[in-house]
Amino acid sequence: MRRALVVLGGCAPGAAFLRKMAAESDFLLCADSGLDAAIAADVRPDAVIGDFDSARPESIAYMERENLPHIVYPAIKDDTDGMACARYLLERRPEEVVFVGAGGGRIDHWMANFQLLIYLEKNGIRARAEQEDMTAWAVHDRLTVRGTPGQLLSVLQMTEELQLSLSGLFYPLDHCDVEFGHPLGVSNVLTEPEAHVVVHKGWALVLHFHPPA
């Protein structure tokens, strides 16, 4: 499997965007109310996971009627639905996992979903989160971000120790030891069609803000 797309239960992606992302993927996995978004976009999941405390009853009825493969977890558990999806995919070893619907009204959900990127990357699977105007990666080595000069790129600390080099950006860095708690990398700006992020030590969250495709 080359690419798995995970539809999380946060802010639902637009139907056209979700159809595009699904068409570019080999496997579509929905987490709980992510099923609602898939049905609204008229894309068929390959599997569904969750405790189903937030999916609409009609979506659950569709899942059962269509005999979609699904796993029901208890509501009282240690893993989020997103983490359950990550564990499920780790057993199937796709080359890449892309999350959509990772955002929403609660900042703790955003942060938890960004941690999923680290979990998968640490286990040898490339991972990113996508929404129509933003792409996010967890980086521990190097990343090339392709875009247009003037677009914003933020590089945020995910570990206490972080040493960064940045190029192709308005504020370059060369082996900079970032002080823990200092949001040094917020709102940098692309000056070239490619920006290069090198993480010499630690983990960084890289967020590229771009116009909807």
Side-chain angles (χ1 to χ4, degrees), residues 60-144:
I60 296 173
Y62 167 87
M63 176 182 73
E64 294 172 343
R65 185 173 65 251
E66 295 294 317
N67 293 316
L68 297 179
H70 61 277
I71 300 174
V72 180
Y73 285 94
I76 300 175
K77 60 188 187 304
D78 292 331
D79 286 347
T80 64
D81 291 332
M83 185 63 181
C85 288
R87 292 190 193 278
Y88 176 90
L89 290 171
L90 193 59
E91 295 178 356
R92 286 151 181 82
R93 305 303 304 180
E95 295 178 18
E96 181 182 32
V97 174
V98 180
F99 293 96
V100 295
R106 285 179 49 180
I107 190 65
D108 55 337
H109 287 175
W110 261 123
M111 294 178 70
N113 292 330
F114 287 146
Q115 289 178 338
L116 296 179
L117 304 180
I118 293 180
Y119 175 79
L120 289 168
E121 290 278 351
K122 285 174 68 175
N123 283 281
I125 296 175
R126 298 197 311 273
R128 56 187 165 95
E130 289 274 6
Q131 61 182 38
E132 293 182 71
D133 60 353
M134 186 271 290
T135 306
W137 303 264
V139 182
H140 64 101
D141 45 16
R142 58 183 62 237
L143 175 72
T144 297

Side-chain angles (χ1 to χ4, degrees), residues 154-185:
S154 290
V155 182
L156 303 177
Q157 205 160 357
M158 297 289 278
T159 50
E160 182 171 0
E161 185 178 46
L162 179 65
Q163 187 180 86
L164 281 177
S165 292
L166 303 175
S167 59
L169 295 160
F170 186 82
Y171 299 101
L173 294 175
D174 183 11
H175 290 78
C176 175
D177 291 305
V178 182
E179 179 186 354
F180 191 51
H182 181 191
L184 178 67

Side-chain angles (χ1 to χ4, degrees), residues 9-28:
C11 185
F17 175 69
L18 182 50
R19 285 193 293 269
K20 174 181 178 294
M21 296 300 296
E24 296 173 353
S25 303
D26 306 300
F27 190 86
L28 177 60

